[in-house]
Amino acid sequence: MLDQATLNQLKTVYADLNSAFRLRVSAKGHPAEQELVGMMRDVASTSDKIELVELDSEGFETRFERDGEVLPIVIRGVPGGHEFTTLILAILNADGKGKWPDDGIRKRIAALKGPINLVSYVSTGCVNCPDVVQALNQMALIHADFHHEMVEGTHFQSEISERKIQGVPAVMAGDTLLHAGKADLADLLEKLEAHFGTGEIEAAETKEYDVTVIGGGPAGAAAAIYTARKGLKTAIVAERIGGQVNETKGIENLVSIPYTEGPQLAANLFEHLAEYPIDILEHRRVERIEDGPRKTLHMKGGETITTGALILATGAKWRQLGIPGEKENIGRGVAFCPHCDGPFYKDKPVVVVGGGNSGVEAAIDLAGICSHVTLLEFAGELKADGVLVKKAESLDNLTIKLNIAASKVLDNGSKVVGIEAKGRTDNMTETIEADGIFVQIGLTPNSAPFKGLVELNPMGEIVVDGHCRTGKPGIYAAGDLTTVPFKQIIIAMGEGAKAGLSAFEDFARGNIEQLS
């Protein structure tokens, strides 16, 4: 049952509901009936606009009605843990409240060819699942022929086994695995457009800015805030405000803030951006950039922007191994988040690739639930902090292999069964049996869209000078995708501010013409 503090908070959240909602719960005779009904009864008690209806029928699900209309979203199972927010937002979003995609993205969603019927499998301990579920719920509320079910896996193990789900979130369209793993609305929308097709989208008017920032992480947010404060007409184009920060758990090295968490910092960035006249164009991907005195940005979906100055701040993403069998088995045994997908491998053998802090931490965590963990490191020694290495070496069910390179992910046609690895000193290939492969080999810069536009070093980083200027007039870069050393949040923020001030300096000197 919900505690009093949560109930009081929900009363505030639901104080201004306009529509009348019914939570139609089917759980009769289910072993967890009281858990589900109790949760929904507590939620309904927080507003006279919410009514609980207990159905005398089989199943284990909650359906939603708004003013008598059955909504196209369903929750199967108990939405506890991280998915409790999904339940709360389902009601708020259906009432037209909460943070919604802007008009340009809503038009793309509405243009998808229906009917669309999706089922998302999640774990309540998964930190990435709510983003996927909540985005699809919003799409279902926007689109005229879109139905979405969330399945909380604890009470549907046989179904998960039958569908060979080995990682969450997993989004199924019929028998097709449409998506697996973390994603934002932009990722999901592109996959839906590719799978279902799209109709004609109303052409959008070209928008003009003095400064356009691509990327919504700490560097991009800082750059946009600084240029807006200087009176430059500014837009920020991002897949998601916060960027990689959204996937960071504890943050203890952001000076003046002893502790925060990634999602909270991302929310703070959005709140700070909203204090200024900055156009926040979220859930966007830039497909093509035309250079010139004014740069032209062509975005997925047909939107176009022209800008005097362009600041590139798209950060970095998790690096993949790039070996046979890896991409094909993402969500079928290849994973990148031990916290999200680790529970699927309870009492099973797994492999972790990568001997840095993230890899060794993952191996230690997984050793607590898996039958055995094999840690593969390419170098001759682990690169993690000494305290982590000492802990890993003390675990009886953790084997560390050095000077070895993963060469192929093995599967049986439906799921991962192991990995091939080759010794770097003896050139011998060995096969390691495993049900899961966790890839933890660091980050790679998100610079591919800018190849040919600005200079990249062999690592794919954008080459910048001490003022965050690239070799192209009017184009700047900041943060983790540049050659600046030490990929840290506080450094990215400083570099973003520097890029914004450098752009302002170029406007002030007349090197770039400001809009009237």
Side-chain angles (χ1 to χ4, degrees), residues 73-92:
I73 53 179
V74 177
I75 293 176
R76 293 166 58 197
V78 181
H82 294 292
E83 292 302 342
F84 184 67
T85 304
T86 295
L87 168 63
I88 304 310
L89 285 176
I91 297 172
L92 280 179

Side-chain angles (χ1 to χ4, degrees), residues 303-371:
E303 294 173 290
T304 305
I305 283 176
T306 68
T307 187
L310 179 62
I311 300 176
L312 310 176
T314 48
K317 62 185 176 183
W318 291 113
R319 189 185 301 275
Q320 295 187 15
L321 294 166
I323 60 176
E326 178 188 31
K327 185 176 180 180
E328 298 87 340
N329 285 295
I330 292 175
R332 301 290 194 189
V334 173
F336 300 87
C337 179
H339 303 291
C340 301
D341 296 337
F344 286 92
Y345 302 93
K346 181 176 173 61
D347 299 326
K348 296 178 180 179
V350 299
V351 168
V352 175
V353 183
N357 281 343
S358 61
V360 176
E361 285 178 349
I364 293 169
D365 289 345
L366 291 166
I369 58 175
C370 299
S371 62

Side-chain angles (χ1 to χ4, degrees), residues 28-253:
K28 201 70 173 178
H30 193 280
E33 176 183 357
Q34 291 306 311
E35 183 182 2
L36 177 58
V37 172
M39 174 184 285
M40 298 305 171
R41 182 179 293 126
D42 283 351
V43 170
S45 74
T46 63
S47 172
D48 58 8
K49 292 281 190 178
I50 305 175
E51 175 188 1
L52 173 65
V53 178
E54 297 182 49
L55 302 177
D56 189 13
S57 57
E58 294 182 357
F60 194 55
E61 65 183 28
T62 303
R63 295 179 180 265
F64 300 81
E65 284 186 8
R66 178 188 58 202
D67 294 331
E69 173 195 5
V70 178
L71 297 177
I73 53 179
V74 177
I75 293 176
R76 293 166 58 197
V78 181
H82 294 292
E83 292 302 342
F84 184 67
T85 304
T86 295
L87 168 63
I88 304 310
L89 285 176
I91 297 172
L92 280 179
N93 287 168
D95 202 51
K97 296 178 172 59
K99 182 184 172 186
W100 278 89
D102 61 47
D103 189 55
I105 297 300
R106 290 170 71 100
K107 287 178 180 177
R108 282 179 61 189
I109 294 169
L112 289 166
K113 292 182 178 179
I116 299 170
N117 294 287
L118 303 178
V119 180
S120 298
Y121 293 89
V122 307
S123 163
T124 57
C126 169
V127 295
N128 295 319
C129 293
D131 294 330
V132 170
V133 174
Q134 291 161 25
L136 293 175
N137 279 349
Q138 284 192 331
M139 291 188 201
L141 291 169
I142 292 168
H143 195 277
D145 195 5
F146 193 129
H147 185 271
H148 176 232
E149 291 187 10
M150 183 200 88
V151 179
E152 183 273 303
T154 303
H155 301 286
F156 296 91
Q157 288 299 309
S158 61
E159 181 175 334
I160 285 176
S161 178
E162 288 172 7
R163 307 202 78 172
K164 298 181 175 63
I165 304 295
Q166 285 193 289
V168 289
V171 182
M172 304 291 296
D175 292 328
T176 300
L177 179 63
L178 187 67
H179 171 78
K182 63 187 178 184
D184 55 27
L185 191 146
D187 294 316
L188 296 166
L189 181 52
E190 287 194 14
K191 289 188 175 182
L192 292 177
E193 287 173 333
H195 185 81
F196 293 99
T198 185
E200 186 174 348
I201 303 173
E202 180 182 343
E205 176 183 347
T206 298
K207 298 176 181 178
E208 297 183 329
Y209 297 96
D210 292 318
V211 179
T212 299
V213 180
I214 305 178
I225 287 169
Y226 268 75
T227 57
R229 284 177 59 86
K230 292 295 186 180
L232 297 172
K233 186 179 180 183
T234 301
I236 185 166
V237 178
E239 294 181 22
R240 187 182 184 194
I241 297 301
Q244 190 79 6
V245 159
N246 285 285
E247 296 148 30
T248 304
K249 297 192 77 176
I251 299 171
E252 299 176 312
N253 56 356

Side-chain angles (χ1 to χ4, degrees), residues 499-510:
L501 291 172
S502 295
F504 170 72
E505 186 176 72
D506 287 342
F507 275 101
R509 291 177 175 177

